């Protein structure tokens, strides 16, 4: 029997896991109480690896961009020797941000307030009245920019605020298999295309973590898109893989892998693309098969993946590739950032289809995102009734021998890790 666990200071649990009885529930208090968010900030966002950006976003020496990660202001940059770095965007003198631009290219960062200047490695290189400061402080680097831990896997850069956390490969664990299926789509590397899309809406951040791997909501919520795909693509052919598999990847990570009727610019054409589109897809599949063999090539080309890397990084490898992060700005509100990822040097026609697919479904104004935002905002509004109706049910497919993506294995994976970190180890 699963053990109900209680949030510190509370008499009742937030996660009710009685798996042997077919019951898995989450208390709606977890989505609305400020004390829960405060604990999440300490136990999750200050201890987990959090996505910062892709190497292509700082492609050249001197390139930089500024981001918010877990409420921290971060500079993401590449130095003159080509090394990628990250620094807290705050001057060691009085705390002012040393970089006020969203992105650009620079030789140094200069604080607006007192004109302290730092190189692209975060080292203090100049300041007015330098002779008035301790030589020992200068020698020890006490006036340099402070850097978080920074590691990368396949060009995806993450930071960690916990100096004692396990390394990034250990943290990613089994997700690396699925990251590789994305990054192996190009021999020459992948790149972010078109900059950052940013939006926010009124819902708790964990609802988007659930939603990102929730196959159950697809048909009812996005029925307009599926009707559109079927009507525009005509006969979808026989290259829709018959797979519908959720994976608990451990440590709160989860992925769903499945076939679908839409085209994939990597190597799966649909009739609407015509003979030229099919020829391009065949050429891409042949290249994949030469590199990886037939089985892996077909998996890359034909199967779709939606993955959550705990706590708040999503990779959607579907009709286009989306990278997405989201962070809470309050118990009932989040801020979302999203990017589209593509193979470097892909054919102009494939790139055009990819970007169209991204905007059509995944972008803030596409078929899917407004639907999801509305659905999650309605959940958040419904939690006003939590005193009388206090639980979310996440038990679909519990203990079924062969669950599908319409079951909720993947959400339970997230919640078990969340509970372990927030409510403590289970007996």
């Amino acid at each position: 029997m699963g053990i109900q666990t209680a949030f510190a200071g509370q008499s009742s649990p937030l996660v009710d896991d009685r798996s042997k009885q077919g019951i898995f529930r989450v208390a709606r208090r977890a989505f609305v109480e400020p004390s829960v968010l405060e604990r999440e900030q300490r136990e999750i966002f200050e201890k987990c690896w959090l996505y910062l950006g892709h190497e292509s976003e700082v492609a050249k020496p001197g390139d930089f961009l500024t981001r918010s990660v877990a409420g921290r202001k971060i500079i993401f940059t590449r130095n003159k020797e080509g090394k990628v770095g990250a620094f807290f965007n705050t001057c060691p003198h009085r705390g002012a941000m040393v970089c006020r631009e969203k992105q650009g290219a620079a030789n140094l960062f200069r604080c607006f307030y007192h004109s302290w200047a730092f190189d692209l490695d975060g080292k203090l290189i100049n300041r007015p009245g330098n002779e008035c400061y301790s030589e020992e402080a200068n020698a020890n680097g006490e006036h340099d920019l402070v850097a978080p831990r920074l590691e990368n896997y396949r060009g995806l850069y993450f930071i960690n605020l916990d100096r004692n956390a396990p390394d990034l490969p250990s943290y990613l664990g089994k997700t690396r298999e699925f990251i590789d299926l994305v990054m192996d789509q190009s021999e020459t590397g992948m790149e972010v295309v078109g900059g950052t899309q940013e939006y926010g809406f009124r819902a708790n951040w964990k609802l988007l973590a659930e939603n990102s791997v929730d196959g159950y909501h697809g048909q009812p919520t996005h029925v307009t898109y599926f009707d559109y795909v079927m009507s525009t693509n005509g006969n979808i052919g026989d290259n829709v893989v018959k797979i519908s598999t959720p994976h608990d990847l451990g440590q709160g990570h989860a992925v769903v892998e499945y076939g679908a009727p839409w085209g994939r610019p990597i190597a799966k054409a649909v009739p609407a693309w015509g003979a030229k589109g099919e020829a391009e897809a065949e050429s891409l599949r042949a290249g994949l098969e030469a590199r990886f063999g037939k089985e892996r090539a077909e998996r890359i080309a034909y199967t779709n993946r939606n993955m959550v890397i705990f706590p708040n990084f999503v990779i959607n490898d579907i009709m286009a590739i989306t990278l997405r992060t989201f962070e809470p700005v309050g118990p009932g509100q989040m801020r979302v950032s999203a990017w589209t990822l593509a193979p470097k040097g892909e054919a102009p026609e494939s790139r055009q289809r990819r970007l169209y697919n991204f905007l059509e479904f995944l972008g803030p104004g596409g078929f899917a995102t407004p639907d999801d935002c509305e659905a999650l905002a309605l959940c958040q509004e419904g939690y006003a009734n939590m005193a009388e109706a206090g639980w979310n049910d996440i038990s679909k497919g519990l203990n079924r021998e062969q669950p599908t993506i319409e079951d909720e294995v993947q959400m339970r994976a997230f919640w078990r890790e969340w509970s372990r970190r927030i409510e403590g180890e289970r007996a």
Side-chain angles (χ1 to χ4, degrees), residues 6 8-9 15 24 38 63 79 111 141-142 178 189 224 247 257 259 265 270 289 314 326 340 342 411 414:
V15 173
F24 194 104
E38 290 170 7
D63 283 356
N79 72 10
C111 180
E142 293 187 25
F178 297 90
T224 303
H247 301 275
E257 193 168 21
V270 289
E289 189 167 336
V314 172
F326 38 95
T340 185
M411 277 81 88
F414 173 91

Side-chain angles (χ1 to χ4, degrees), residues 39-57:
R39 191 165 181 84
E40 289 173 340
Q41 296 286 9
R42 293 194 307 272
E43 301 300 329
I44 293 177
F45 290 101
E46 294 182 7
K47 294 184 178 180
C48 292
W49 285 97
L50 305 174
Y51 180 70
L52 174 61
H54 187 260
E55 63 183 2
S56 65
E57 296 180 274

